[in-house]
Amino acid sequence: MRFMTLYKPGRETTAPPTEKEMAAVGKLIQEMASAGVLITTDGLQHSSKGARVRIERDGKFTVVDGPFTETKELIGGYAIIEVKSKAEAIELTKRFLGAMGHGESEIRLMQDAPAFDARSPQFSGSSAKA
């Protein structure tokens, strides 16, 4: 079962995680990678470097540049893991939050197979018709 965990730190800052947080998270990432459950993970930069894009029912787009005011809802990073159960995903997420010392994570079950994988040998961007 593949799960995506979305980390919400509950605050936004331009300061990077502390050395203690980075060491604890680094150790956990290494353990998860060695166990074969970590597919990918990454952090996200400050929302001031991003934008929100919305389409309305009439087809018009609205673009709002960051920073965004609702910091408790901001996603600070993500991980995609492959585990045997939701309970295992929850336990790994608890360990991550313990290493960070703050925030919350949303855990979402992913579809059984990726809808699209650009790295797949079946995909060749050069064969697309213009």
Side-chain angles (χ1 to χ4, degrees):
M1 303 173 85
R2 289 180 315 133
F3 288 89
M4 174 176 268
T5 65
L6 303 170
Y7 173 58
K8 300 174 187 178
R11 61 183 179 178
E12 185 169 46
T13 178
T14 55
T18 67
E19 286 184 35
K20 181 180 177 185
E21 291 168 342
M22 288 302 296
V25 170
K27 180 180 177 193
L28 177 59
I29 287 171
Q30 183 60 46
E31 287 176 26
M32 292 171 63
S34 295
V37 299
L38 181 64
I39 296 173
T40 188
T41 187
D42 209 343
L44 302 174
Q45 292 193 21
H46 193 277
S47 71
S48 64
K49 296 181 179 182
R52 287 189 175 150
V53 181
R54 173 178 293 174
I55 188 168
E56 302 298 332
R57 289 180 186 239
D58 62 5
K60 292 185 181 181
F61 289 96
T62 303
V63 178
V64 178
D65 288 326
F68 309 119
T69 56
E70 261 321 299
T71 58
K72 68 181 180 177
E73 295 298 321
L74 291 176
I75 298 170
Y78 70 92
I80 298 177
I81 57 177
E82 188 158 359
V83 294
K84 294 178 182 149
S85 66
K86 183 169 97 173
E88 188 177 353
I90 290 169
E91 287 307 310
L92 289 172
T93 300
K94 285 179 177 179
R95 289 185 60 200
F96 170 78
L97 290 173
M100 289 303 293
H102 57 85
E104 72 176 17
S105 287
E106 181 177 334
I107 301 170
R108 302 286 301 272
L109 179 62
M110 297 177 72
Q111 299 297 334
D112 291 336
F116 175 77
D117 185 350
R119 297 172 295 178
S120 170
Q122 289 84 20
F123 176 77
S124 173
S126 62
S127 65
K129 304 279 184 199

